[in-house]
Amino acid sequence: MKTFKKVYIEITSICNLACTFCPPTERKANFIKVEDFARRLDEIKPHTRYIYLHVKGEPLLHPKIDELLDISHEKGFKVNITTNGTLIAKNRHKLLGKPALRQMNFSLHSFDGHEGSMNREGYLREILSFVRAAEEFKVIFSFRLWNLTQDNATNLDKSRNRQTLEILEQEFNLDYRIEERVEPGGGVRVADHVYLNQDYEFQWPSLTAPEDEGKGFCHALRSQAAILVDGTVVPCCLDGEGVINLGNIHQKSFSDIVDGERANNLVDGFSRREAVEELCRKCGYRQRFGA
């Protein structure tokens, strides 16, 4: 039986922001039902102990996020949440002290990625207030600034990133500038259980993107798989539109889906360092693992 380091369970396809780096989904707006979430955990339990509550969508929009965390704990899962952070104050009472919550990633680049963003300091202060309140629960936090560009990796929109980093430096009493310590694709520890990660601007794979020769490797269906909010199983967290539809857990078991013909063909292809799916040949992330 295949096991994964993590399985992404999308709990909503809806987001409250419209960031330039994240194309809006063409899928139906949807929230997962609590009973469906519980069944999905039962389906994936033989395969992993770690779940990530996102693919597309903003997980903190889910009105029953606290119930989802409770069910995750009851069934023995550890949960990672990636959020834009704008709803953290509204949801802090639903998150604090939840034993299932292992890590929260705050996509701070969403502030500048969303055209209507206002009051950077207020936005960051609400996030930092939550981080401080969660200290006793040993939750891991990652502040993400994934907005570097390949040709100007350390100076992209320097003034805006500097404003964000300066607030973090003050909050954690750092005696250095974060840019001096962090490399693209890496991170720096700014406090106990708190990290700052910078990386290049992310490009979602698309069938309209140019196709390369299809050589290379990917961890899809080796270390991860994902289930979209409607039950569609896809190989990884980057297939936000369900292009590589491996099957739907409302019709077939998760175990059978990830061991199905299309899934095995994809894995076998990458064993030969060959992308057999069209979307994979149009995914720049694969290039990070070399040819």
Side-chain angles (χ1 to χ4, degrees), residues 16-254:
N16 61 324
L17 300 185
C19 295
T20 55
F21 56 82
C22 187
T25 180
E26 297 179 6
R27 294 183 286 119
K28 179 183 177 182
N30 205 353
F31 288 98
I32 198 171
K33 295 178 181 177
V34 172
E35 55 269 27
D36 285 341
F37 180 78
R39 281 196 289 269
R40 285 176 201 187
L41 294 190
D42 291 337
E43 289 267 346
I44 69 170
K45 191 161 188 176
H47 301 272
T48 192
R49 288 293 177 266
Y50 295 91
I51 56 175
Y52 288 57
L53 301 187
H54 61 281
V55 175
K56 285 290 189 75
E58 167 51 52
L60 297 191
L61 276 174
H62 199 291
K64 296 183 178 180
I65 184 70
D66 49 345
E67 291 184 41
L68 303 187
L69 287 169
D70 288 341
I71 293 169
S72 299
H73 177 62
E74 290 167 11
K75 294 183 180 293
F77 288 92
K78 289 297 184 181
V79 177
N80 289 34
I81 295 176
T82 295
T83 172
N84 59 45
T86 57
L87 303 174
I88 194 64
K90 180 180 178 181
N91 286 279
R92 60 185 289 154
H93 66 289
K94 295 183 178 182
L95 301 170
L96 284 174
K98 294 296 185 183
L101 186 58
R102 172 186 175 270
Q103 179 169 335
M104 290 194 71
N105 307 313
F106 289 99
S107 299
L108 302 186
H109 47 276
S110 62
F111 183 88
D112 292 313
H114 179 69
E115 192 174 317
S117 294
M118 299 176 65
N119 187 7
R120 182 189 308 272
E121 183 161 358
Y123 161 73
L124 291 170
R125 290 299 171 198
E126 287 188 344
I127 292 173
L128 291 168
S129 172
F130 177 82
V131 170
R132 290 300 192 190
E135 279 184 52
E136 63 180 292
F137 304 110
K138 309 300 183 187
V139 178
I140 300 167
F141 292 102
S142 171
F143 299 129
R144 294 178 171 178
L145 279 173
W146 289 4
N147 58 6
L148 304 177
T149 58
Q150 295 284 352
D151 59 344
N152 195 14
T154 58
N155 293 304
L156 171 76
D157 211 353
K158 197 171 182 179
S159 63
R160 294 194 299 183
N161 272 1
R162 178 93 291 273
Q163 292 171 41
T164 294
L165 295 175
E166 187 172 337
I167 291 171
L168 296 178
E169 289 161 3
Q170 292 173 354
E171 173 70 21
F172 296 106
N173 298 312
L174 303 184
D175 59 359
Y176 57 88
R177 289 165 69 96
I178 290 173
E179 301 100 313
E180 298 169 356
R181 300 283 183 92
V182 66
E183 295 291 333
V188 60
R189 177 179 170 276
V190 298
D192 286 344
H193 308 292
V194 182
Y195 301 85
L196 185 287
N197 297 90
Q198 285 198 282
D199 210 336
Y200 298 112
E201 184 174 344
F202 177 71
Q203 297 291 328
W204 285 88
S206 168
L207 291 177
T208 62
E211 185 171 321
D212 62 23
E213 76 286 353
K215 300 298 181 183
F217 180 77
C218 182
H219 293 282
L221 292 177
R222 292 179 187 271
S223 66
Q224 64 170 276
I227 308 173
L228 303 182
V229 68
D230 68 351
T232 299
V233 178
V234 293
C236 71
C237 63
L238 305 187
D239 188 0
E241 293 304 293
V243 173
I244 308 176
N245 184 341
L246 301 175
N248 192 292
I249 61 170
H250 293 298
Q251 283 88 47
K252 190 182 289 188
S253 74
F254 181 80

